[in-house]
Coordinates of all heavy atoms in Angstrom, one line a residue:
R144 N 0.8 6.1 -12.0 CA -0.6 6.0 -11.9 C -1.3 5.1 -13.0 O -0.6 4.9 -14.1 CB -1.2 7.4 -11.8 CG -1.2 8.2 -13.1 CD -1.9 9.4 -12.9 NE -1.7 10.2 -14.2 CZ -2.4 10.1 -15.3 NH1 -3.3 9.2 -15.4 NH2 -2.1 10.9 -16.4
P145 N -2.5 4.7 -12.8 CA -3.2 3.9 -13.9 C -3.4 4.8 -15.1 O -3.5 6.1 -15.0 CB -4.5 3.5 -13.2 CG -4.3 3.7 -11.8 CD -3.3 4.7 -11.6
E146 N -3.6 4.2 -16.2 CA -4.0 5.0 -17.4 C -5.3 5.6 -17.2 O -6.2 5.1 -16.5 CB -4.0 4.0 -18.6 CG -2.7 3.5 -19.0 CD -2.6 2.6 -20.2 OE1 -3.7 2.6 -20.9 OE2 -1.6 2.1 -20.6
G147 N -5.6 6.7 -18.0 CA -6.9 7.4 -17.8 C -6.7 8.8 -17.2 O -5.6 9.3 -17.1
P148 N -7.8 9.4 -16.8 CA -7.7 10.8 -16.2 C -6.9 10.8 -15.0 O -7.0 9.9 -14.2 CB -9.1 11.1 -15.9 CG -10.0 10.2 -16.8 CD -9.2 9.0 -17.0
R149 N -6.0 11.8 -14.9 CA -5.1 11.9 -13.8 C -5.8 11.9 -12.4 O -5.4 11.2 -11.5 CB -4.2 13.1 -13.9 CG -3.2 13.3 -12.7 CD -2.5 14.6 -12.8 NE -1.5 14.6 -13.9 CZ -1.0 15.7 -14.4 NH1 -1.3 16.9 -13.9 NH2 0.0 15.5 -15.3
E150 N -7.0 12.6 -12.4 CA -7.7 12.7 -11.1 C -8.3 11.4 -10.6 O -8.8 11.3 -9.6 CB -8.7 13.8 -11.2 CG -9.9 13.5 -12.2 CD -9.5 14.0 -13.7 OE1 -8.3 14.4 -13.9 OE2 -10.5 14.1 -14.5
E151 N -8.4 10.4 -11.5 CA -8.9 9.1 -11.1 C -7.9 8.2 -10.6 O -8.1 7.0 -10.3 CB -9.7 8.5 -12.3 CG -10.9 9.2 -12.6 CD -11.7 8.6 -13.7 OE1 -11.4 7.5 -14.2 OE2 -12.8 9.3 -14.2
G152 N -6.6 8.6 -10.6 CA -5.5 7.8 -9.9 C -4.5 8.6 -9.2 O -3.6 7.9 -8.6
F153 N -4.7 9.9 -9.1 CA -3.7 10.7 -8.4 C -4.4 11.9 -7.8 O -5.3 12.5 -8.3 CB -2.6 11.3 -9.3 CG -1.7 12.3 -8.7 CD1 -0.7 11.9 -7.9 CD2 -2.0 13.6 -8.9 CE1 0.1 13.0 -7.3 CE2 -1.3 14.6 -8.3 CZ -0.2 14.3 -7.5
V154 N -4.0 12.2 -6.5 CA -4.5 13.4 -5.9 C -3.3 14.1 -5.1 O -2.5 13.4 -4.5 CB -5.7 13.1 -5.0 CG1 -5.2 12.3 -3.8 CG2 -6.2 14.4 -4.5
H155 N -3.2 15.5 -5.3 CA -2.4 16.2 -4.3 C -3.4 16.5 -3.1 O -4.1 17.5 -3.2 CB -1.9 17.5 -5.0 CG -1.0 18.3 -4.1 ND1 -0.6 19.6 -4.4 CD2 -0.5 18.1 -2.9 CE1 0.1 20.1 -3.4 NE2 0.2 19.1 -2.5
A156 N -3.2 15.7 -2.1 CA -4.3 15.8 -1.0 C -4.1 16.9 -0.2 O -5.1 17.4 0.6 CB -4.2 14.5 -0.2
G157 N -2.9 17.5 -0.1 CA -2.7 18.7 0.8 C -1.3 18.9 1.2 O -0.4 18.4 0.4
P158 N -0.9 19.5 2.3 CA 0.4 19.7 2.7 C 1.1 18.4 3.2 O 0.6 17.4 3.2 CB 0.3 20.7 3.8 CG -1.0 20.5 4.4 CD -2.0 20.1 3.3
I159 N 2.4 18.6 3.6 CA 3.1 17.4 4.0 C 2.4 16.7 5.1 O 1.8 17.2 6.1 CB 4.5 17.9 4.6 CG1 5.3 18.4 3.5 CG2 5.2 16.8 5.3 CD1 6.7 19.1 3.9
G160 N 2.2 15.3 4.9 CA 1.5 14.4 5.8 C 0.1 14.1 5.2 O -0.4 13.0 5.6
A161 N -0.4 14.9 4.2 CA -1.8 14.6 3.8 C -1.8 13.4 3.0 O -2.8 12.6 2.9 CB -2.2 15.8 3.0
G162 N -0.8 13.0 2.3 CA -0.7 11.8 1.4 C -0.8 10.5 2.2 O -1.6 9.7 2.0
H163 N -0.1 10.5 3.3 CA 0.0 9.4 4.2 C -1.4 9.3 5.0 O -1.9 8.2 5.3 CB 1.1 9.3 5.1 CG 2.3 8.9 4.4 ND1 3.6 9.4 4.7 CD2 2.6 7.9 3.5 CE1 4.5 8.7 3.9 NE2 3.9 7.9 3.2
Y164 N -1.9 10.5 5.3 CA -3.2 10.4 6.0 C -4.3 9.9 5.1 O -5.1 9.0 5.5 CB -3.5 11.9 6.4 CG -4.7 11.9 7.5 CD1 -4.4 12.0 8.8 CD2 -6.0 12.0 7.1 CE1 -5.4 12.1 9.8 CE2 -7.1 12.0 8.0 CZ -6.7 12.0 9.4 OH -7.7 12.0 10.4
A165 N -4.3 10.3 3.9 CA -5.4 9.8 2.9 C -5.1 8.2 2.8 O -6.2 7.5 2.7 CB -5.2 10.5 1.6
K166 N -3.9 7.8 2.7 CA -3.7 6.4 2.5 C -4.1 5.7 3.8 O -4.6 4.4 3.6 CB -2.2 6.1 2.3 CG -1.8 4.7 2.1 CD -2.6 4.0 1.0 CE -1.9 2.6 0.5 NZ -1.5 1.7 1.5
M167 N -3.9 6.2 4.9 CA -4.4 5.6 6.2 C -5.9 5.3 6.2 O -6.3 4.2 6.5 CB -4.0 6.5 7.4 CG -4.4 6.0 8.7 SD -4.2 7.3 10.0 CE -5.6 8.4 9.5
V168 N -6.6 6.4 5.8 CA -8.1 6.2 5.7 C -8.4 5.2 4.7 O -9.4 4.4 4.9 CB -8.7 7.6 5.5 CG1 -10.2 7.4 5.2 CG2 -8.5 8.5 6.6
H169 N -7.8 5.2 3.5 CA -8.0 4.2 2.4 C -7.9 2.8 3.0 O -8.7 2.0 2.8 CB -7.0 4.5 1.3 CG -6.9 3.4 0.3 ND1 -6.2 2.2 0.6 CD2 -7.5 3.2 -0.9 CE1 -6.3 1.4 -0.5 NE2 -7.0 2.0 -1.4
N170 N -6.8 2.6 3.7 CA -6.6 1.2 4.2 C -7.6 0.9 5.3 O -8.0 -0.3 5.5 CB -5.2 1.1 4.8 CG -4.2 0.9 3.6 OD1 -4.4 1.3 2.5 ND2 -3.1 0.3 3.9
G171 N -8.0 1.9 6.1 CA -9.1 1.6 7.2 C -10.4 1.1 6.4 O -11.0 0.2 6.9

Side-chain angles (χ1 to χ4, degrees):
R144 67 175 175 82
E146 295 181 6
R149 179 185 287 167
E150 63 271 17
E151 293 182 6
F153 169 83
V154 63
H155 180 193
I159 291 170
H163 282 143
Y164 195 95
K166 178 59 163 47
M167 174 191 74
V168 176
H169 166 280
N170 281 27

